[in-house]
Amino acid sequence: MKWRACSQGKTYDTGDGFIVYFDPASGNTHLISDVAAYLLAELTIGPLSTEQIQVCLAAKGVSASAADETNHISAMIQELQSFDLIEPI
């Protein structure tokens, strides 16, 4: 499955590993991790499959065991989708 960003938001780095993300499409703000913000930035460039997301996060230096990585990515995708920031295509 491929994912894409619903809109290009604005970010504010809090300096403690979290990012305030403003979604102009809905007018909502969300507190997300810096890794989730990186993923959203990548998805605004173009759609990515779940496997491509794993490659992008590995390139950023997010490392964990394969099972932990898969669970972490699934949870992050689910969270971003629940905020209506990303959608499947």
Side-chain angles (χ1 to χ4, degrees):
M1 177 177 300
K2 285 198 169 194
W3 299 92
R4 70 176 173 194
C6 294
S7 66
Q8 187 170 358
K10 303 213 183 278
T11 59
Y12 171 75
D13 188 350
T14 63
D16 60 358
F18 291 97
I19 304 293
V20 176
Y21 185 88
F22 172 71
D23 179 16
S26 68
N28 294 326
T29 57
H30 305 280
L31 186 63
I32 60 175
S33 71
D34 56 350
V35 175
Y38 171 77
L39 175 57
L40 278 171
E42 291 296 312
L43 290 172
T44 60
I45 296 169
L48 296 172
S49 68
T50 304
E51 294 79 22
Q52 290 170 316
I53 290 171
Q54 288 176 327
V55 171
C56 280
L57 294 181
K60 177 146 174 66
V62 176
S63 61
S65 70
D68 288 343
E69 182 177 305
T70 300
N71 290 337
H72 177 72
I73 290 170
S74 294
M76 187 172 25
I77 287 171
Q78 184 177 14
E79 179 182 39
L80 294 174
Q81 187 179 19
S82 74
F83 292 154
D84 292 325
L85 299 178
I86 65 171
E87 63 187 2
I89 56 169

